[in-house]
Amino acid sequence: MKEVRNIFIESCNKIADLIQDKHFKAIQKGQILKKKSKNKDIVYEIVFQSSFRNTNFHISILPHINVYSKKLKEWIIEQTNNSYSSGIVVSEYLGNITPYKTSKSWNLAGLSREKYIEEIAELLNKYALPIFDLFEETTSAIDFLAENGQQFNKYVDDSLLPLGFMIRFAPKEKAEKFFNHFISHCKFKGRIIELYKSLEHSENIDLNYSEFSYASDIKLAYINKLKIIK
């Protein structure tokens, strides 16, 4: 199994060498690539996830990307009284932001290894780095999210994950526009509206509990006075 581990680590480092942005710092022997924004608040991560089921015939690599904000983390902790809050703004599997549109993994075992290393690097350069670049200017990120939601390209599904970022950093009208963009395209719009209305009669709103996907975000929007525009 030592050889399997070495192949995985070597592949991670080869991918890193092919990434066009050379400012990432390799952590955990190259399994994580990390970079800070120029304002030092935003942190970008490329994570190469492996599997304990790896064998000599199948060495899985599952790349994903994260965008964090240290100031957002502090604010979310104040809002939720939950010290485990991460300050996450974006978190996606690489496959989900590419034409694959799925949490795709690649097999690094066998003759296709070099081909897959090049493919992963190409996808990171083409689809992940532009997302990171967007957050270099907070106002640009805010304007994009207000107009498009989290749909960074035509392959990315919308998400409420950046809501905290918008409430914390954006003017209220733009945070509200982002909020309503998601609701207008959401398959469970009715459930969201029902929860939102019920909060008007709630004495204790628990931001650390979600009755369904994104329920805690709906609560966060409510207590920060974002309105649902019908």
Side-chain angles (χ1 to χ4, degrees), residues 24 35 51 60 83 117-118 120 137 145 175 188 191 194:
F24 284 90
K35 184 182 102 166
S51 172
S60 176
S83 60
I117 286 171
E118 291 178 4
I120 292 168
E137 294 291 342
L145 291 167
F188 49 95
R191 197 170 186 188
E194 182 181 355

Side-chain angles (χ1 to χ4, degrees), residues 63 160 173 185:
L160 263 188
E173 63 272 16
H185 295 85

Side-chain angles (χ1 to χ4, degrees), residues 70-148:
K70 292 183 283 186
K71 291 180 181 177
L72 176 62
K73 178 179 179 178
E74 294 169 359
W75 182 79
I76 291 291
I77 289 173
E78 291 175 0
Q79 294 277 308
T80 63
N81 197 29
N82 182 353
S83 60
Y84 293 102
S85 297
S86 63
I88 194 77
V89 183
V90 176
S91 184
E92 290 286 349
Y93 289 112
L94 176 61
N96 284 337
I97 63 171
T98 72
Y100 284 112
K101 284 188 65 70
T102 183
S103 52
K104 177 176 172 54
S105 64
W106 285 260
N107 180 12
L108 298 173
L111 299 176
S112 297
R113 183 188 311 150
E114 295 300 325
K115 170 188 166 185
Y116 290 152
I117 286 171
E118 291 178 4
E119 180 184 354
I120 292 168
E122 181 181 354
L123 292 174
L124 286 167
N125 287 327
K126 187 172 182 179
Y127 297 104
L129 295 190
I131 295 174
F132 294 162
D133 290 343
L134 179 64
F135 283 90
E136 277 297 295
E137 294 291 342
T138 301
T139 53
S140 297
I142 287 170
D143 290 344
F144 180 92
L145 291 167
E147 291 296 326
N148 305 283

Side-chain angles (χ1 to χ4, degrees), residues 181-197:
H181 180 281
F182 176 82
I183 294 172
S184 66
H185 295 85
C186 182
K187 294 179 181 179
F188 49 95
K189 177 179 179 179
R191 197 170 186 188
I192 291 175
I193 293 173
E194 182 181 355
L195 172 62
Y196 187 92
K197 287 180 177 178

Side-chain angles (χ1 to χ4, degrees), residues 146-164:
E147 291 296 326
N148 305 283
Q150 197 207 251
Q151 294 171 301
F152 299 113
N153 60 52
K154 63 183 180 180
Y155 307 114
V156 184
D157 289 334
D158 205 3
S159 168
L160 263 188
L161 195 57
L163 179 65

